[in-house]
Amino acid sequence: MVKDIARYFARRIGAFFYKLVEQGRKHTIEKENQALIQSSDNCSPDLRINGRVKKFSGFKQAKIEKNVHIGDNVHIRAEGGLFIGANTHISRNFVCYTMNHDYEGKRLPIDDNDIYKPVHIGKNVWIGMNVVVAPGTVIEDGVIVGAGCTVAGHVPALSIIGSQKYRLLKKRDEKHYNRLEDEEKYGGISGRPLDDS
């Protein structure tokens, strides 16, 4: 019986300290998010990032209007320009890129030349969890994007979209590919020359 009482109190004390650590972690994340939001004049001060930001580079190139909510674990590269309209809600694990490496450059599979393409997300948009938005995408007003979608191109206003099996977008230039393969021109980390990686 004494062992049972000791286990009970050990669990309660452990739960108390776990809760205390979690509250401290959440408070730290909220302060970091608030500092990020206040760092840009292009961002509405009522932006809510509900959780940690894995990455949000190019934040000052993003224009975010009022009443936008972004979930936990966001990963955004906004260097190419990003617009998010008012009243847009984005769930957790959102990934958005406004830039890409050049696959028709000097090395395989990519080189370190960045190609910038802005992303526009309209107002009153609802984006489910685990969505990836590709460079150059335009999502018009009132769109609902289902969980797990990869969105590329133009999505017309008021559309409700979900994932489907893959579709071929285009093919690489075969001559260019074969020339780089023959010359053994390969890219290392982020497409940099192998000797720079």
Side-chain angles (χ1 to χ4, degrees):
M1 183 161 158
V2 173
K3 284 184 181 178
D4 291 339
I5 292 171
R7 274 193 222 120
Y8 171 78
F9 280 110
R11 280 195 302 268
R12 298 290 295 178
I13 291 169
F16 170 77
F17 282 113
Y18 176 79
K19 187 175 180 182
L20 201 60
V21 168
E22 277 299 298
Q23 287 174 342
R25 187 183 70 80
K26 286 180 182 177
H27 179 71
T28 300
I29 289 170
E30 286 173 12
K31 284 180 71 177
E32 289 170 354
N33 291 347
Q34 208 50 41
L36 177 67
I37 292 164
Q38 291 171 351
S39 72
S40 175
D41 294 333
N42 296 330
C43 178
S44 176
D46 71 348
L47 167 64
R48 293 291 172 259
I49 302 173
N50 304 311
R52 68 180 179 247
V53 173
K54 189 171 183 181
K55 183 176 192 98
F56 201 143
S57 60
F59 186 71
K60 292 185 179 180
Q61 282 79 32
K63 178 170 177 34
I64 302 174
E65 295 189 334
K66 65 181 181 173
N67 191 34
V68 171
H69 296 255
I70 300 174
D72 186 38
N73 202 33
V74 61
H75 185 110
I76 297 175
R77 297 290 307 265
E79 290 90 335
L82 173 64
F83 174 85
I84 302 176
N87 310 311
T88 289
H89 294 233
I90 300 170
S91 189
R92 65 184 177 270
N93 303 326
F94 176 67
V95 176
C96 179
Y97 275 81
T98 63
M99 57 187 290
N100 206 344
H101 294 291
D102 187 357
Y103 63 86
E104 293 182 331
K106 301 172 283 209
R107 286 175 290 286
L108 292 175
I110 57 171
D111 72 14
D112 55 346
N113 182 39
D114 292 327
I115 298 171
Y116 296 99
K117 294 182 180 179
V119 168
H120 180 96
I121 300 172
K123 64 182 179 181
N124 307 316
V125 172
W126 176 21
I127 298 178
M129 71 175 127
N130 302 320
V131 168
V132 176
V133 174
T137 297
V138 174
I139 299 173
E140 290 190 3
D141 297 347
V143 169
I144 297 174
V145 180
C149 281
T150 296
V151 186
H154 180 259
V155 182
L158 308 178
S159 298
I160 300 173
I161 63 172
S163 287
Q164 60 183 18
K165 70 177 193 170
Y166 85 88
R167 66 182 174 90
L168 182 64
L169 301 175
K170 70 183 226 180
K171 294 197 76 165
R172 294 177 80 146
D173 180 325
E174 189 174 353
K175 287 181 183 177
H176 178 77
Y177 177 89
N178 289 334
R179 181 179 58 79
L180 292 176
E181 177 69 24
D182 291 343
E183 295 172 7
E184 297 184 359
K185 298 280 189 171
Y186 304 113
I189 295 170
S190 298
R192 292 191 292 264
L194 281 176
D195 51 359
D196 291 352
S197 301

